[in-house]
Structure formats: C-alpha cells, structure tokens
Amino acid sequence: MRRSLLLLTAATTALVLAALLVPLALLTRSHAADRATADATSRAHSLATGVGQALAGAQGGARGGDRSGVQGAGPGETSDARRVAAGIVDSANGPGLPRTSVVLADGAVLGPATPVTDAVRLARYGRAFTYEPPGGGRTVLVPVQGVAGGTAVALVALTESQLHAGTLASSLEIAGIGAALVLLGLLVADRLGARLVGSARRLSQVADRLAAGDLTARAEPSGPPELRAVAREVNHLADRIDAFLTAERENAADLAHRLRTPVAALRLDAEGLRDPAEAERIAADVAALERSVDEVIRTARKPLREAGRAVATVRTGRDPDPAARRGACADLAAVARERADFWRPLAEDQGRELAFAAPGGPVPVRADPAGLAAAVDALIGNVFDHTPDGAGLRVTVAHEDTAMGTDTENGTGARSGTARLTVEDDGPGFPVGHVPERGHSGGGSTGLGLDIVRRAAEESGGSLECGTAAGGGARVTARFGTAEVAQQDG
C-alpha cells in the first residue's frame, strides 16, 4: 500500500509538472529567441545608419565637386568611404557577437563573406525583414538606401546557440524546481503512507491476536477516520465475542456441575452394596466419572487463549508457544493399552475380538494423559455404539515418519514428528457420503466423540483422518505430535 501510494504520487506529480513546466521551458526558449532577434534588429538598423552615412559622404563630396566644375567623385574618395564603412562593420563583429556584414549594390561585401541570396536581393527593394535560413539560426536584413550605385543591405546573422543563449541554465533551473517538487510530494506521500500502513498493520496484529484466542487484544483507533471506525468496530466485536464465549463457558460448566449430584448418589449406592469386590469396582468407576466431570468443568472455564494455541498450530503447522506445551506429555502406547484393557471385559461380553498392537517402548506425545484417555475412549466407544455385537476392533499405536513416509509399529524405526493411533472395526463403516462433523452423527449420537479426538490431535500438532478399513469397516487415524518435536521447537 505504501509503495503503491508513492508510485501514484510520483506519477501524478510528474504529469502535473510536465503539463506546467514543459510549456514554461518552451516559453523561456521562445522569449530568449525573441530577445536575441530584437537585439540583432537593433544592431542591423544601427549598422545601416552608420554605413549609410559613411557611403553617403562620398556621394555628397562628388556633388560638391560638380558645383566646382569636377565631374563625379574620384576613386580615392570612394575607397576612403568604403574603408570607413568597412571599419564600422568590423567594429560590429567580435568574439561571441552575431556575424555582421554589408552587401553593396555591386556585390562587394564589407565584413565576413556572405553570399548574395534571394533574401539579399529582396531586401534591396527597400524591405527590412527577418528570416530563418535552412542551416538554422536567424538572419536580420535591413536595406541601406541613399548609397551611390544602388541599395546596400546590412545583415546580422544569429546562430542557434546565440539565438537561445541562456536557455540551458533556465531549463536546468526549471528541471531542478520540478525535481524538488516531486521529492516534496514523495516525502509527504511517504509520511501519509507510513501513517496509513502503520494503522492498518496494528489493526491486523490485533485481528491476529483475536484469531489466536487472545480476547484481551484491543485496537487503538488511529489513522484516517475510516481506519479509526474499523478499529472501534473490531473492539466492539471482540467485546461481544468475549461476552458470548464467557456465557457459553459458564453454561457448560454449570451443566457439568449439575452431574455431581447424581454422581454422588451413585457413589453412595456403590458404598451400600453387599459384595465388597463389586462395591469397589463400581466405586472406582464412579470416581473416574467424578474426575471426568471435574475435568469438563475445568476445561469449560479454561481461558480461550489457551485453546487458541491449537488453532494457530493447525493453521501454521507450528506450535506458537512450544515452551507452554513442553510440560504436557503422555505415553500414547501406555494410555491406549490401559483404555483397551478397560474396554476388554465389555468386548468379551458382546463377543467382540479386541486386538491391540503397540511398540515395546513408550510413545511420548504432546497431550495431557486425561485428554488423551478421553480421545481413546471416544474412538473405542464409537465402535461399541455404532457396530453390532460380535464386530471386532483393532487398536494400533505406531511411530510415524512424516518426512520419509515410513513408520515402525515395533519401535525399531526412526523416531519422528508424529505418533499414530488407529482404531479399525469390522462393522458397516461410515454411511455413504457422511463427513464426520461436530454435532452431527450418522448413527444417532451427539456427534461429539470424533471432535474430542480431533481437538486432542490438533492441540498436539497432529490431525484426524477417517476412512474405510480393509474389511469394509470404519477406520479412524489420529496423529499426535511427539514430545521429541516439542523439545526441538524449543
């Protein structure tokens, strides 16, 4: 924007100055030529007067001789008159002066050699004029009348450099003024552009912070009225979004808090069972349910800025705050194995075969254990909810090398940027044309299970992929960023 404004200002200023200064330069050049022509005309008239008087003196002497009985002027008198006229012409010539000559009626030339042209012949008829010869410049011709033998012609010739003397300096001055005006215009445009760009850049930074989940970001209105109005509207929008999200988080926390009463009742019922083993098992399940409810409440009331890191990670492919994520680490293999063992009794009751495969060593990923366990439960629970009894499922954990395109399920390959959790089943698979989406399910459920997995994967720098297993059932692959990547980012 700043560069465009400078280019527009430079082009506009240059066009305006060209429209003003080019005619001014031409006018200066024309004025210099007129001034030089007027000076040459004055010199020609003065020369014609002086030469005419000198040559007329010889004629006057001849007339006086007639009255005394001498017939005509003598050769000596004519020569003297021409020498006087030649001296006058020579005094009119000099370095830097216009070339000055006098062509006599008999073709003789006083001063620099000058050819007898049609212009000279026309001037002998008694007409003074100025003309431009083919070779350039300008010539002034003035007739010298009253001379014995016919009319002589005084010529003052101007070259191109004499005709336009002084115009180069004037043109340079005009060009300097134009360049100064262009630079001044660019300076003003640059300051204006810096102000506009600075305001727009600060507004963009506030928008980026809001997009990253920092709802405390506010824009300071600055710049032109239009940008100030946009800044005020952005602040108003941020206030409204903050208010709506705060209300939504509180409502979610309140709804989750209401579950504590029936959970407490379940705990009391479990404690009242007569079979100690059964009471202990159910009490453990109730305690896990209580922890899940507490986690829901904490997550609902978590500031949005913390959740915004996940959005920035998905958009840019890089965690914006790796130091804050470095502490969140869980063993994907251990968590998946523990949750598979939790679901195994139910699988046996329903006649399902639950297979589990994982590397022998740990598979650390960037996720907290509770959230990772919830993601694994969501994937396994979907199989139980959406497939008939007897349909088997397979849970696989593997390291994945995204750069080389290879993976090692036995932990013997290269450790890389992601770890893969795959859950496959032998059920009917996803409905045709169904795209998993938050709040929408093809099986009549809430549609939130896969979204829990997706958020857990994306918060660790991974992704979620749904497809079809080799046997036609559903296959869901969640990729998690490994803890080694988090250390490299730091």
Side-chain angles (χ1 to χ4, degrees):
M1 178 180 178
R2 188 174 181 179
R3 181 180 300 175
S4 300
L5 186 59
L6 289 175
L7 292 177
L8 178 61
T9 302
T12 304
T13 306
L15 290 176
V16 172
L17 291 177
L20 293 177
L21 297 184
V22 170
L24 180 59
L26 295 177
L27 181 61
T28 303
R29 183 180 177 86
S30 176
H31 179 69
D34 293 342
R35 185 175 62 249
T37 302
D39 180 68
T41 302
S42 176
R43 293 172 66 86
H45 282 284
S46 300
L47 179 64
T49 301
V51 170
Q53 290 176 354
L55 295 178
Q59 183 179 2
R63 290 175 181 175
D66 290 342
R67 290 193 294 268
S68 61
V70 180
Q71 298 294 324
E77 295 178 352
T78 303
S79 299
D80 292 341
R82 289 196 175 189
R83 280 196 298 270
V84 173
I88 295 174
V89 174
D90 291 339
S91 65
N93 288 284
L97 296 176
R99 181 170 56 87
T100 304
S101 303
V102 174
V103 180
L104 301 178
D106 58 1
V109 179
L110 303 179
T114 301
V116 180
T117 61
D118 292 338
V120 174
R121 298 186 187 96
L122 180 61
R124 286 174 176 171
Y125 287 99
R127 180 181 177 185
F129 60 90
T130 302
Y131 85 104
E132 296 180 358
R138 191 171 293 180
T139 302
V140 179
L141 298 95
V142 176
V144 182
Q145 298 177 344
V147 179
T151 303
V153 179
L155 297 93
V156 178
L158 296 168
T159 63
E160 283 291 331
S161 59
Q162 293 171 341
L163 190 63
H164 302 109
T167 56
L168 178 60
S170 299
S171 299
L172 292 178
E173 291 177 359
I174 292 174
I177 293 174
L181 290 176
V182 170
L183 292 177
L184 180 61
L186 290 178
L187 179 61
V188 174
D190 182 70
R191 293 299 87 202
L192 178 60
R195 183 185 177 196
L196 293 175
V197 172
S199 300
R201 185 176 292 119
R202 288 190 293 271
L203 191 59
S204 175
Q205 292 172 352
V206 172
D208 289 340
R209 290 174 58 191
L210 290 173
D214 183 7
L215 295 183
T216 62
R218 292 296 183 271
E220 182 179 355
S222 61
E226 293 79 5
L227 286 181
R228 289 200 298 268
V230 172
R232 287 192 294 268
E233 292 303 321
V234 168
N235 292 339
H236 178 65
L237 178 62
D239 292 337
R240 296 287 291 171
I241 293 175
D242 192 15
F244 286 146
L245 291 179
T246 300
E248 183 178 357
R249 291 196 300 270
E250 291 300 325
N251 288 334
D254 292 343
L255 291 175
H257 192 273
R258 296 178 186 178
L259 294 176
R260 286 187 171 181
T261 299
V263 169
L266 286 177
R267 186 176 65 252
L268 292 177
D269 292 341
E271 293 175 354
L273 293 175
R274 296 180 179 180
D275 186 351
E278 187 71 11
E280 182 179 357
R281 184 181 66 81
I282 295 179
D285 293 341
V286 172
L289 180 58
E290 287 181 332
R291 289 193 298 271
S292 298
V293 171
D294 291 339
E295 181 64 23
V296 168
I297 295 174
R298 286 192 297 269
T299 303
R301 288 177 172 169
K302 184 186 301 182
L304 186 63
R305 186 174 184 178
E306 297 181 13
R309 296 194 189 99
V311 178
T313 301
V314 174
R315 288 183 177 179
T316 63
R318 183 176 181 273
D319 196 334
D321 192 0
R325 314 297 292 174
R326 199 176 295 128
C329 179
D331 185 356
L332 177 60
V335 172
R337 181 180 293 107
E338 188 270 335
R339 299 319 298 166
D341 293 340
F342 172 82
W343 288 92
R344 196 177 301 278
L346 180 59
E348 294 174 353
D349 291 342
Q350 295 183 358
R352 301 176 184 269
E353 179 183 357
L354 197 162
F356 179 81
V363 184
V365 295
R366 291 185 296 183
D368 64 277
L372 189 59
V376 177
D377 283 340
L379 291 177
I380 299 177
N382 277 345
V383 177
F384 283 88
D385 292 339
H386 301 292
T387 61
D389 291 351
L393 68 153
R394 293 165 294 283
V395 180
T396 305
V397 176
H399 296 293
E400 187 171 71
D401 188 349
T402 57
M404 302 297 296
T406 59
D407 63 88
T408 56
E409 296 189 4
N410 296 321
T412 58
R415 304 297 290 271
S416 62
T418 58
R420 186 185 66 198
L421 170 66
T422 303
V423 177
E424 298 177 319
D425 63 60
D426 297 329
F430 292 108
V432 178
H434 172 68
V435 178
E437 185 179 354
R438 178 178 174 84
H440 299 277
S441 171
S445 64
T446 61
L448 298 179
L450 287 179
D451 189 69
I452 293 174
V453 182
R454 178 188 60 79
R455 284 193 298 167
E458 291 180 351
E459 286 181 358
S460 71
S463 61
L464 177 69
E465 178 183 348
C466 300
T468 303
R475 181 181 65 215
V476 180
T477 301
R479 291 179 173 84
F480 298 87
T482 60
E484 289 83 359
V485 173
Q487 293 173 0
Q488 292 174 5
D489 291 342

